[in-house]
Amino acid sequence: MEDIEDLLIGSGGGGAPPGFRLPLNTVAVKPKKNVKNGATLNGSLLSDLSLISTVPGTQTIYIKTFGCSHNQSDSEYMAGQLSSFGYGLSDDPDNADLWLINTCTVKNPSQSAMDTLITKGKSAQKPLVVAGCVPQGSRNLKELDGVSIVGVQQIDRVVEVVEETLKGHEVRLLTRKTLPALDLPKVRKNKFVEILPINVGCLGACTYCKTKHARGHLGSYTIDSLVGRVKTVIAEGVKEIWLSSEDTGAYGRDIGVNLPTLLNGIVAELPPDASTMLRIGMTNPPFILEHLKEIAEVLRHPCVYSFLHVPVQSGSDAVLSAMNREYTVSEFRTVVDTLTELVPEMHIATDIICGFPGETDEDFAQTVSLIEDYKLPQVHISQFYPRPGTPAARMKKVQSNIVKKRSRELTAVFEAFTPYNGMEGRIERVWITEIATDRVHLVGHTKSYVQVLIVAPQTMLGSSAMVKITSVGRWSVFGEVIETLTQADKRTSAKERLSSEVNCSPCVDQDESCLCSGDKAAAPCSCGPEGCGEQQNSAGTDTASHNQQLLDAQDNTSLIGNFLSRRRKTYPTRKLDDSRTASGDSLKQENSREEAPGELGFVDRVFLGGLILSLFTLLALLVHLGFRVKLSK
């Protein structure tokens, strides 16, 4: 079946019958057949309302996600839209009315799991919608017959696709030239973590990669839209922001900007108390080599995790060339060496593919040597899987038993490392965001993104704390809370937030920073005897004036509020020191020209007079109508 894109409602017109909601842009459908008599159902969206057995927006949807954090973000956006339209979300597939499967095409196992789930859904006669990279990159798979599919850039139309699928239609939406908006409704899997896609696609052409077929060429969101999204999610109480893409380092090259510019713009909006942390996503070596010092500066920032995922894939230049990775092992070493030198406690994760076509024993030995040299705390090891339609799928394969042997050998080398030895007894700041799978521990991360397991009440989720490391394991460390630093946000009303005063911590000495709520960053405090107090007073006056204007704007939404707001005056207290005494007379003169709090101005008098006249006119009309009714009787 070819791609079926948007159709305008036919020129025959007719429109929708009363009470029937049409999608804003009606999608085209492939009519299904009536199994009983072999007849084809009318493909028109309007001609057969008998297909609608229930009201749209009242059914329950089961969502299953495979793959990367970008896929997880897409699922959260789709869940948000469905939930906003009234659909229920369920983790129980048996009790759901429709299954939405968001797929991954990177490896064979994830696609095989998708195939199994689709088969199970068809057997249970569940309406199915398949999203993600598999249908986008392999639209003609036989497993996709009879199911609706929605492309990776069509996630903002999932409600329409679900509606039509529930009616018995098969819908396909795959092609689009614009990126989905970032401000769509979203239901986060973890309410404290925002996965923020900064771009889609990439600039590479790796010979083994199927994702490029699905996500396409690089498409970057603007810096303004991303920074705006960061402001929104911080206000919503998010405590970690994960930047996600197929290649973070390539960000902005299609729109004339670069990654350091974006990172600096985002960091400027993070709370100065580090209550919300930023995690930079996976980046390939070629596109960060020219920005290493700028990236290192961002990674040193107190609100940014000192952690980066840089896939190397192989320790052999010959294999990297066959993969078309566009960098050398030496350049990967430059990335790791520079970041670990410039960023204290820097942690780097990487990926390795074992058994790529043409990989020799010598090539594999070079990979083992690279991993042993750096002893990285996280190495994701996978066997080579030939993906259909990729150049590597046509290359001569390494025998499967050799591939498995190399994978086991490298895994054994990696698991022998003890990256967290020496942490026991240290005190670290830890950001706590989730519950461990054992349901006993809470999970947090240090500045270097080391996973810390602690026993603490769930009320600590969304907070940060000083934690003493009590023991270390191979994959994580254990700790106990010494002091809680920041709590999860508690919601207050708009007026409470606007009218709250600016609080400035007093300076202990001249080297300390004044942290004033409302400031975007901590400014050095030149504390003389009165320095901090004056800074606080000035900031408080400016903020109070700004907040008063916002309160006035809220009151202006009503007629009476508009009048009352004209009566509300702000008279800031003027602090005069000895150097300004001479100008006291002129200041008095200036103040004498202001209206007194109880005095009506000319505009106020006109407004009040008009209001009184209107009331009298209304009263006269009522009396007149009363007389007419009485005379008619």
Side-chain angles (χ1 to χ4, degrees), residues 194-216:
E194 166 72 6
I195 304 172
L196 179 60
I198 63 173
N199 56 264
V200 300
C202 68
L203 295 175
C206 301
T207 56
Y208 58 85
C209 182
K210 185 74 173 177
T211 305
K212 180 65 177 278
H213 295 188
R215 295 284 182 178

Side-chain angles (χ1 to χ4, degrees), residues 9-10 12-17 20 22 46:
I9 294 302
F20 182 73
L22 270 179
L46 305 177

Side-chain angles (χ1 to χ4, degrees), residues 12 63 169 349-350 424 470 481 490 536:
I63 302 178
H169 296 143
T350 196
E424 190 170 352
T470 55
V481 175
K490 296 180 179 179
Q536 175 183 357

Side-chain angles (χ1 to χ4, degrees), residues 61-65 75 78-79 82 89-91 100-102:
I61 312 297
Y62 166 69
I63 302 178
K64 175 65 178 177
T65 306
S75 288
M78 289 189 285
L82 291 167
L89 304 176
S90 175
D91 293 328
L100 172 58
I101 306 169
N102 196 3

Side-chain angles (χ1 to χ4, degrees), residues 425-622:
R426 285 169 54 176
I427 296 177
E428 299 273 354
R429 183 173 182 176
V430 173
W431 289 263
I432 305 162
T433 55
E434 59 184 312
I435 303 172
T437 53
D438 63 5
R439 313 301 298 179
V440 175
H441 294 87
L442 299 184
V443 180
H445 293 89
T446 67
K447 174 73 161 61
S448 299
Y449 212 66
V450 176
Q451 181 175 272
V452 182
L453 302 178
I454 61 173
V455 177
Q458 293 187 16
T459 53
M460 288 199 66
L461 289 170
S463 68
S464 67
M466 300 305 297
V467 173
K468 182 178 181 180
I469 307 302
T470 55
S471 62
V472 300
R474 174 60 188 85
W475 312 110
S476 56
V477 301
F478 296 83
E480 60 181 22
V481 175
I482 295 177
E483 178 189 3
T484 301
L485 298 180
T486 60
Q487 295 285 357
D489 287 344
K490 296 180 179 179
R491 297 284 161 229
T492 57
S493 69
K495 287 203 173 187
E496 286 174 335
R497 289 197 302 272
L498 291 173
S499 60
S500 60
E501 293 182 352
V502 174
N503 295 317
C504 181
S505 303
C507 295
V508 177
D509 55 51
Q510 294 187 5
D511 294 327
E512 187 176 314
S513 296
C514 280
L515 297 180
C516 300
S517 59
D519 291 348
K520 291 187 178 178
C525 185
S526 54
C527 282
E530 302 157 353
C532 193
E534 289 199 0
Q535 180 180 353
Q536 175 183 357
N537 204 22
S538 173
T541 301
D542 293 343
T543 306
S545 175
H546 174 65
N547 290 347
Q548 190 64 51
Q549 293 172 10
L550 292 175
L551 288 169
D552 290 347
Q554 289 181 345
D555 284 338
N556 285 346
T557 56
S558 66
L559 183 65
I560 301 300
N562 183 54
F563 175 73
L564 293 178
S565 68
R566 298 184 60 82
R567 305 301 315 128
R568 191 187 291 119
K569 301 287 184 182
T570 302
Y571 295 91
T573 303
R574 287 168 170 78
K575 182 178 178 181
L576 300 178
D577 55 23
D578 294 339
S579 63
R580 296 170 56 189
T581 305
S583 61
D585 293 339
S586 60
L587 181 62
K588 288 178 183 178
Q589 257 186 353
E590 178 185 347
N591 286 341
S592 67
R593 290 194 295 269
E594 297 179 355
E595 296 173 7
E599 183 182 343
L600 288 174
F602 174 75
V603 176
D604 294 333
R605 293 186 184 123
V606 172
F607 180 84
L608 186 58
L611 186 62
I612 294 171
L613 181 61
S614 299
L615 290 174
F616 275 114
T617 303
L618 181 60
L619 182 60
L621 284 172
L622 290 174

